[in-house]
Amino acid sequence: MIEHTIRIEAPPEVVWRFFTDPARMARWLGPADLDPTPGGELTFQLSDGPRPVVRGRFTELRPYEKIVFTFGWDPTPGVPDLPPGSSQVEVTLSAQAGGTLLTLHHIGLPPNLVANTYTGWTGFLGTLKAEAANA
């Protein structure tokens, strides 16, 4: 399991939109196509490396508090084998003194993918922090 906790200088309502609005998600992850409803599809193409496509479905959405979605990669040369929907990402948002405390858990990863995925989330969450603070 991967866990990250960061503080973002923006309210939960702003941070929420970076997970549910395709234009805002594109600013920190890459081009996105989203249906932010339970069971709705989630697709985004990372802007780094071999530009892999992530596919999953939203499984839980509690406005401004919690977002849960499945996560996996489209088969792409140079991208680890993690079929779409085979792992899960849970994001919680808590209002905190004019900002948001964001905690991300990524579960269901094979052991050989944990280190690289942790590093990936570290970079992407740093970008999210900067983008949301300037929104």
Side-chain angles (χ1 to χ4, degrees):
M1 177 180 75
I2 291 171
E3 180 176 334
H4 277 286
T5 300
I6 62 170
R7 178 174 162 67
I8 299 173
E9 298 298 325
E13 296 81 5
V14 169
V15 177
W16 171 268
R17 288 191 288 274
F18 279 85
F19 286 89
T20 59
D21 176 333
R24 289 186 189 217
M25 183 176 272
R27 290 169 48 188
W28 69 284
L29 284 173
D33 185 19
L34 310 173
D35 176 8
T37 59
E41 290 188 27
L42 163 97
T43 304
F44 56 90
Q45 183 174 21
L46 297 180
S47 53
D48 293 339
R51 299 185 46 83
V53 173
V54 172
R55 290 196 189 278
R57 292 194 175 274
F58 288 99
T59 59
E60 184 178 352
L61 295 116
R62 270 192 269 148
Y64 319 128
E65 294 178 8
K66 187 175 183 181
I67 302 157
V68 182
F69 56 91
T70 62
F71 180 106
W73 306 104
D74 272 355
T76 305
V79 174
D81 183 27
L82 184 66
S86 62
S87 66
Q88 179 175 287
V89 177
E90 177 181 298
V91 177
T92 56
L93 308 173
S94 302
Q96 188 181 66
T100 300
L101 189 67
L102 179 150
T103 301
L104 178 142
H105 291 106
H106 193 155
I107 60 173
L109 291 166
N112 63 315
L113 297 182
V114 171
N116 283 344
T117 304
Y118 182 89
T119 300
W121 279 121
T122 300
F124 288 119
L125 291 174
T127 303
L128 170 63
K129 182 175 181 171
E131 289 289 335
N134 292 315

